[in-house]
Amino acid sequence: MMKRLILGALVMSSGVSAMPGMGNGNASMDGLKGNNPHGAVPMEDAVLVGKLTSQQLIFEMIPMGREYLAYKVNTEALSPLVKREDKVEILAVLGTWDKVSQQQVPRMMKILKILDNPNITADYVGVDKKGSAGETPLMEGVQVIAFPTFIVRQGGKEIGRIEGQTPQGLETELAQLLR
């Protein structure tokens, strides 16, 4: 774990990415001074805006990385989705500063990792505290009232949403949407 934190600090302070998609994407870090977010603002309060990668969220946002590692996926609830053959896209709209996003987004990432179905993919978009995602084409025509919002699409059409906390669990909610 210490090795990962040191690597993250070196990568962020140098501005050079040692991992694909980490620290070199389209996301901006509003409210951070310089290139080193670890020294400017606690990472649980950082505001990453724009299209984000799962690597950025897990490795740069310490609370998200912890939640990803700690979360136990309900694999039984996922069983109907394992062999799903039609394509499903999930657009996750989140606030990196938002406590519910810090919990739910890493859980969805881990669910999709465990599911290991190439037909079910996700894109992650960070918004600032005013609701702006910058100039992110993924957000065209999208309105969100809760964080995080997982917009589930098939064939380019929205078939449902999972918003905020999920009393039944993300696995169950996702499986119900994709029945």
Side-chain angles (χ1 to χ4, degrees), residues 65-86:
R66 286 183 184 142
E67 183 65 29
Y68 181 88
L69 292 172
Y71 188 62
K72 304 289 184 231
V73 175
N74 177 355
T75 55
E76 187 177 316
L78 291 177
S79 60
L81 304 178
V82 172
K83 294 185 180 182
R84 187 172 185 94
E85 293 184 14
D86 47 341

Side-chain angles (χ1 to χ4, degrees), residues 8 86 97 100 113 121 129 137 144 151-152 154-155 157 179:
D86 47 341
W97 42 268
V100 179
K113 175 80 173 165
T121 59
K129 293 180 181 181
V144 174
I151 302 169
V152 182
Q154 275 185 299
K157 294 186 181 201
R179 271 194 263 175

Side-chain angles (χ1 to χ4, degrees), residues 119-139:
N119 294 317
I120 303 175
T121 59
D123 286 308
Y124 305 94
V125 176
V127 299
D128 64 20
K129 293 180 181 181
K130 294 179 182 175
S132 173
E135 295 189 26
T136 306
L138 291 170
M139 291 296 292

Side-chain angles (χ1 to χ4, degrees), residues 88-90 150-153 157-160 174 177-178:
V88 174
E89 302 92 27
I90 300 170
F150 300 100
I151 302 169
V152 182
R153 297 177 175 154
K157 294 186 181 201
E158 182 176 328
I159 61 169
L174 187 60
L177 270 177
L178 295 174

Side-chain angles (χ1 to χ4, degrees), residues 2-163:
M2 184 59 132
K3 197 181 250 185
R4 230 185 266 169
L5 290 175
I6 292 170
L7 173 63
L10 289 173
V11 168
M12 292 309 299
S13 65
S14 70
V16 176
S17 178
M19 296 181 73
M22 186 173 159
N24 61 354
N26 298 330
S28 66
M29 295 186 196
D30 293 349
L32 299 179
K33 297 176 183 172
N35 290 331
N36 186 356
H38 299 288
V41 172
M43 284 312 292
E44 55 272 358
D45 296 330
V47 180
L48 302 180
V49 176
K51 186 171 182 188
L52 305 169
T53 66
S54 56
Q55 290 88 4
Q56 280 177 296
L57 294 170
I58 291 171
F59 293 115
E60 294 178 18
M61 297 299 300
I62 293 168
M64 288 190 178
R66 286 183 184 142
E67 183 65 29
Y68 181 88
L69 292 172
Y71 188 62
K72 304 289 184 231
V73 175
N74 177 355
T75 55
E76 187 177 316
L78 291 177
S79 60
L81 304 178
V82 172
K83 294 185 180 182
R84 187 172 185 94
E85 293 184 14
D86 47 341
K87 295 217 180 276
V88 174
E89 302 92 27
I90 300 170
L91 176 61
V93 182
L94 64 127
T96 56
W97 42 268
D98 174 62
K99 300 296 182 204
V100 179
S101 292
Q102 290 174 2
Q103 177 192 61
Q104 296 290 80
V105 173
R107 289 179 178 186
M108 180 63 83
M109 287 182 214
K110 192 159 187 180
I111 289 165
L112 296 176
K113 175 80 173 165
I114 299 284
L115 188 57
D116 194 29
N117 184 333
N119 294 317
I120 303 175
T121 59
D123 286 308
Y124 305 94
V125 176
V127 299
D128 64 20
K129 293 180 181 181
K130 294 179 182 175
S132 173
E135 295 189 26
T136 306
L138 291 170
M139 291 296 292
E140 287 180 21
V142 173
Q143 292 190 346
V144 174
I145 57 171
F147 291 114
T149 296
F150 300 100
I151 302 169
V152 182
R153 297 177 175 154
Q154 275 185 299
K157 294 186 181 201
E158 182 176 328
I159 61 169
R161 290 181 178 216
I162 302 171
E163 298 176 320

